[in-house]
Amino acid sequence: RQLLGVLVVAMVAHVLATLQPVFSDEFLVLGNLWYFAQHRTIIPEHTKYPALYSYLVVPVVGVFVALSLASGYPPSMHEFPEWVTYHPEMGMWPARLVSLVCWGVCVWAVGRIAREMFEDADLGLLAAAIFAAALGTLQYSGFALPDVTMMMFATLSLTHALQLARGDRPAVS
C-alpha cells in the first residue's frame, strides 16, 4: 500500500511539473510544429533535438489547437502564435503531455524489468516507486523535450532485450 501511495504521489507531482515555467529549448520543439504547419513540410527547421519527438507531439498539439479554436480561444489560427507568446505554459502543455505519458510508460517498464529479473512482484513495484520518485525525471517529464521520450524507448528496448536473453519471444504490446 505504501508503495502504491508513492506511485500516486509521484504521478500527481509529475502532472504538476507540467505547470513549471517554460524552458527556452521548448520553443524550438513548438517552433518545429509551427514550421510544419506554415510550410507544409515534415522537415523540421530546428534540428537541435531529434525530429521524432516533434512528430510524436504533432497529433497531441493538433487536437489541442482544434479544441482551442473550437472553443473560441484564441479566435483564429492567425492569433495562435500571439496567444502562445502570452500564455507559454498553456501553449507547451500538450507537448509536455507527451513527455508525461512517456514517463508513465518508463515507470511501467522499470517495474516490469525488476519483476522479471527478480521474479518478485513486490520488487517490481519497489523499483517502479523508486524510479517514479526520482527528482531528475520529475523535472524533465514536465518539459516538452525529448529526454524522457528517448529514455522510454531505451527502457522498452531493455524489456525486450531481457525477454530475448531468457529465450522468450518479445511481446509486441
Side-chain angles (χ1 to χ4, degrees), residues 77-136:
M77 189 67 171
H78 299 292
E79 296 176 59
F80 212 82
E82 183 179 339
W83 182 73
V84 170
T85 302
Y86 291 119
H87 307 286
E89 289 82 10
M90 286 303 294
M92 298 299 171
W93 194 83
R96 290 176 170 190
L97 182 62
V98 172
S99 292
L100 190 64
V101 168
C102 290
W103 169 82
V105 172
C106 280
V107 170
W108 169 82
V110 165
R112 181 176 172 181
I113 290 169
R115 185 178 65 239
E116 287 184 19
M117 283 183 65
F118 300 109
E119 298 176 355
D120 186 354
D122 291 336
L123 282 177
L125 189 58
L126 176 64
I130 290 171
F131 178 81
L135 293 178

Side-chain angles (χ1 to χ4, degrees), residues 7-95:
L7 285 172
V8 169
V9 168
M11 188 181 315
V12 170
H14 281 266
V15 169
L16 292 175
T18 62
L19 301 175
Q20 63 188 325
V22 175
F23 183 60
S24 62
D25 284 4
E26 289 180 286
F27 287 108
L28 298 178
V29 172
L30 206 60
N32 276 345
L33 304 182
W34 189 250
Y35 187 81
F36 292 160
Q38 279 185 324
H39 298 280
R40 295 186 179 117
T41 182
I42 61 169
I43 311 288
E45 180 181 32
H46 301 288
T47 56
K48 181 175 182 179
Y49 293 113
L52 175 63
Y53 184 75
S54 294
Y55 302 144
L56 290 174
V57 169
V58 165
V60 178
V61 172
V63 168
F64 177 75
V65 169
L67 291 174
S68 297
L69 293 173
S71 69
Y73 189 74
S76 75
M77 189 67 171
H78 299 292
E79 296 176 59
F80 212 82
E82 183 179 339
W83 182 73
V84 170
T85 302
Y86 291 119
H87 307 286
E89 289 82 10
M90 286 303 294
M92 298 299 171
W93 194 83

